Amino acid sequence: MKPTIYDVAREAGVSIATVSKVINRTGKISEKTRERVAAVMEGMGYAPNLVATALSSKKTFMIGLLLPDISNPYFAELARNIEDRAHELSYNIVICNTDNHVDKEREYLTFLQQKGVDGILLATGLAHPESLGLVTDRQLPITVIAREVPRTPVNTVLVDDFMGGFLATSHLLELGHREIAIIVESMDLESSRQRLKGYRAALEEHNCAFHAERVAVSDFTVASGMEIAGGILDAPDRPTAVFACNDLLAIGTIQAARSRGIPVPGELSVVGFDNTFLCGIIDPALTTVGQPIRELGRQAVDLLHKQMSGEEPARQRVVLLPELVVRASTQPPLERTSAVK
Amino acid sequence: MKPTIYDVAREAGVSIATVSKVINRTGKISEKTRERVAAVMEGMGYAPNLVATALSSKKTFMIGLLLPDISNPYFAELARNIEDRAHELSYNIVICNTDNHVDKEREYLTFLQQKGVDGILLATGLAHPESLGLVTDRQLPITVIAREVPRTPVNTVLVDDFMGGFLATSHLLELGHREIAIIVESMDLESSRQRLKGYRAALEEHNCAFHAERVAVSDFTVASGMEIAGGILDAPDRPTAVFACNDLLAIGTIQAARSRGIPVPGELSVVGFDNTFLCGIIDPALTTVGQPIRELGRQAVDLLHKQMSGEEPARQRVVLLPELVVRASTQPPLERTSAVK
DNA sequence: TTGAAAGCGCTAACAA
DNA sequence: TTGTTAGCGCTTTCAA
């Protein structure tokens, strides 16, 4: 049987209160007993039972992380950075794949609370903000990542999606493209809507008309990107460029083009979003909007940590800025080049 | 304050034991009180505090998952399947990124035990098997995934790496390749050694001499694959095919070839290992050895579950069989084709 | 500086 | 069928 605090106390000839104090370095303990108790603990191979500690101290040092799907490279990278930072602060991460399914979100949320996690990191859909009430009502610290929950006062760390959409589109416009299609993940996500707005704003700034037909809605898989992009490329008025709202969709677009013998970037420029490691893997290397994914993860943990430490920081929204990462999948449109000549 | 079992008991006019029984559906309870208590719980919005439950029942319904890096697509996919199965069995997964670093492994291992996880899933290096003692000594259920720990009686679920190496190499040999290089992840891993053995066995079976110079050691990143492959491709006696021991390395190899103007599969065939979703993303689509990653995850959880349920199944090693997935990155060597003509 | 004792919220004998 | 009670292993207040 594993030794308990009682065993240590008996062995060291002190009370459990004293042992507890040397474990936690709290209260006043003479150096002498401190050493003796420490030696006994060492000798017995004693390690505190953290479940018991959690019960009496009401801290589990666990954080629940809700995301759509850990096998999606974007979320995998995010999770990695989150876990790294959490580990530094000695918290553990419990992962929950929600598939953006409201029921699963709710289920995990209530369950995590019962398990006594100290906080929640939410990087998932949550189409129905009232689910958030499940958490906020219980005073459980929470930070939302890369998702905007409109009209809800909750701490958030995200990327300026509007700017991202603007940067991507402006890049294409500046290369000379005028026929630019956009593929968004889902109009249910505020981030998608913002990226679309950025797209429109860029068009407007370049006096380029917005056409609703240039907007296609997909989801977040390569396959769907390929399918949707296929439709776009088969249309009679095929655009010269596509802004895909995440890297997976952009890759699907490149594949759709390839299968149709449309050279990228020769006849079609493609811009992605996220700057996952996939961008460097595919051919041509993907021009994309880079999210500071490491910072996103760290800051989210730090913000949550403050709440968990009772600092109760003013509700805030930390907006990180994206940046354009130009690689090989974009170039000026052919038509234009020749027309100029 | 959240209601406790005492609040429910008082409100329903019964003892806490009775409430506990209706929560857990244990013991004999009249339908009448059962309903009344249930109604009260519902009404108060009562939910058991699982930390307390864990302390008295010694079950946390948590599983620790150790892997090198969740941002590696292979492990991300594995983690997804593991979490899915665990969730079905109502267990939560705590992820731990070890970077194959022994110190981190040990740290997580001891820590997880203190936190009272019900079991450990080990999909990470653990170069020093004695670290395993940290777990087995404490009678904590554990299952090792996709790693062989030689001379240690521990439940394991893995893929037949020897067969995988054999399949990959045979495929190349059958296409007519004779100069086949192999890039392994690390000679510290039993899986790498097995794949290498499979490679040698295939060569032998085809009466093809083994040359130690054809073996290169890398690690598990695209960058390192690119670097190592670069060395291979720049050598005077460049091989006509490369068997890379994971998809990331294979991709690095393709990139190295591309940057040198060596067409794949035209002048260089490449085979990967794992069959991650990346294979379908890159150009040319990668021929690879497919691991039944879903089964790997599920069976590991199931095997662990048996141990956690006290079934104490006979120590076993479940060996799943890989299969060759032929895509576009392999074809007969050019030289041969012309020589035959 | 140290210790006694009362929880934390639940489970599970054992009695009634 | 229901209730009493003693833990589970630790924290923390209050006295000594």
Side-chain angles (χ1 to χ4, degrees), chain A residues 2 48 50 60-61 69 80 83 87 92-93 95 97 99 107-108 114-115 138 255 280-282, chain B residues 2 48 50 55 60-61 69 80 83 87 92-93 95 97 99 107-108 114-115 138 255 280-282:
Chain A
K2 276 192 275 193
L50 266 16
T60 56
F61 280 93
D69 179 7
R80 175 50 143 120
E83 203 275 325
H87 185 240
N92 282 128
I93 297 292
I95 38 164
N97 296 107
D99 290 315
E107 188 195 337
Y108 274 121
Q114 287 188 242
K115 290 231 174 166
R138 305 266 188 165
Q255 292 190 327
I281 278 179
I282 58 154
Chain B
K2 275 193 276 193
L50 265 18
L55 180 59
T60 56
F61 280 93
D69 178 8
R80 175 50 144 118
E83 204 275 325
H87 185 239
N92 282 127
I93 296 293
I95 38 164
N97 296 106
D99 290 315
E107 188 196 335
Y108 275 121
Q114 286 188 242
K115 290 231 175 167
R138 305 266 188 165
Q255 292 190 330
I281 277 179
I282 57 153

Side-chain angles (χ1 to χ4, degrees), chain B:
Chain B
M1 217 45 213
K2 275 193 276 193
T4 73
I5 200 172
Y6 283 93
D7 301 315
V8 175
R10 190 179 333 105
E11 191 83 3
V14 296
S15 74
I16 59 165
T18 303
V19 177
S20 174
K21 281 167 196 158
V22 343
I23 293 171
N24 302 301
R25 309 174 191 294
T26 56
K28 299 259 161 252
I29 295 290
S30 76
E31 186 54 24
K32 224 174 121 181
T33 53
R34 220 199 64 72
E35 275 171 15
R36 180 155 40 88
V37 173
V40 171
M41 295 198 299
E42 174 77 36
M44 303 181 82
Y46 169 81
N49 175 328
L50 265 18
V51 176
T53 305
L55 180 59
S56 56
S57 71
K58 303 195 165 316
K59 283 219 56 170
T60 56
F61 280 93
M62 297 266 189
I63 293 172
L65 171 61
L66 270 72
L67 33 72
D69 178 8
I70 190 77
S71 72
N72 174 316
Y74 171 76
F75 290 104
E77 283 180 44
L78 183 63
R80 175 50 144 118
N81 289 299
I82 286 173
E83 204 275 325
D84 279 354
R85 182 61 183 144
H87 185 239
E88 286 173 18
L89 300 170
S90 55
Y91 281 82
N92 282 127
I93 296 293
V94 178
I95 38 164
C96 308
N97 296 106
T98 68
D99 290 315
N100 275 326
H101 207 299
V102 187
D103 295 342
K104 282 190 86 177
E105 282 175 7
R106 291 187 130 94
E107 188 196 335
Y108 275 121
L109 245 23
T110 44
F111 217 57
L112 287 171
Q113 297 200 58
Q114 286 188 242
K115 290 231 175 167
V117 297
D118 297 333
I120 301 272
L121 250 21
L122 200 74
T124 182
L126 210 61
H128 303 277
E130 64 268 31
S131 301
L132 251 187
L134 279 177
V135 176
T136 47
D137 290 355
R138 305 266 188 165
Q139 321 269 41
L140 189 59
I142 184 170
T143 291
V144 174
I145 306 175
R147 289 276 182 274
E148 202 144 1
V149 190
R151 321 179 162 290
T152 313
V154 60
N155 286 309
T156 308
V157 178
L158 41 56
V159 165
D160 189 330
D161 289 297
F162 175 89
M163 182 185 284
F166 185 87
L167 287 175
T169 312
S170 296
H171 169 63
L172 292 170
L173 287 162
E174 279 155 20
L175 285 174
H177 292 275
R178 310 296 290 176
E179 302 302 326
I180 304 172
I182 177 172
I183 306 180
V184 298
E185 278 183 31
S186 152
M187 288 310 284
D188 291 339
L189 296 175
E190 182 63 20
S191 58
S192 289
R193 290 193 289 264
Q194 289 299 324
R195 291 174 196 181
L196 178 57
K197 278 191 191 166
Y199 163 87
R200 294 188 65 157
L203 287 182
E204 196 167 331
E205 193 166 303
H206 285 74
N207 299 310
C208 192
F210 167 76
H211 297 292
E213 319 85 71
R214 291 291 189 213
V215 180
V217 179
S218 173
D219 62 26
F220 44 88
T221 65
V222 173
S224 74
M226 200 164 155
E227 188 189 326
I228 300 295
I232 293 173
L233 298 179
D234 290 338
D237 58 338
R238 189 218 295 170
T240 62
V242 171
F243 166 34
C245 282
N246 72 47
D247 290 341
L248 259 17
L249 294 179
I251 288 171
T253 303
I254 290 177
Q255 292 190 330
R258 187 186 298 148
S259 74
R260 285 168 176 72
I262 301 171
V264 174
E267 291 181 25
L268 185 77
S269 285
V270 178
V271 179
F273 207 113
D274 290 347
N275 196 25
T276 53
F277 79 103
L278 301 174
C279 297
I281 277 179
I282 57 153
D283 181 38
L286 189 66
T287 292
T288 194
V289 176
Q291 296 207 33
I293 203 165
R294 178 187 152 86
E295 273 310 298
L296 210 52
R298 308 209 123 226
Q299 298 233 24
V301 175
D302 286 340
L303 191 49
L304 186 68
H305 185 227
K306 278 185 193 150
Q307 298 172 67
M308 297 188 302
S309 308
E311 275 194 39
E312 197 67 50
R315 292 263 188 280
Q316 57 193 277
R317 177 174 3 226
V318 177
V319 181
L320 301 177
L321 304 184
E323 61 181 315
L324 187 72
V325 180
V326 179
R327 294 204 180 82
S329 66
T330 48
Q331 71 172 41
L334 272 190
E335 301 80 350
R336 186 117 193 280
T337 315
S338 42
V340 167
K341 272 182 194 162

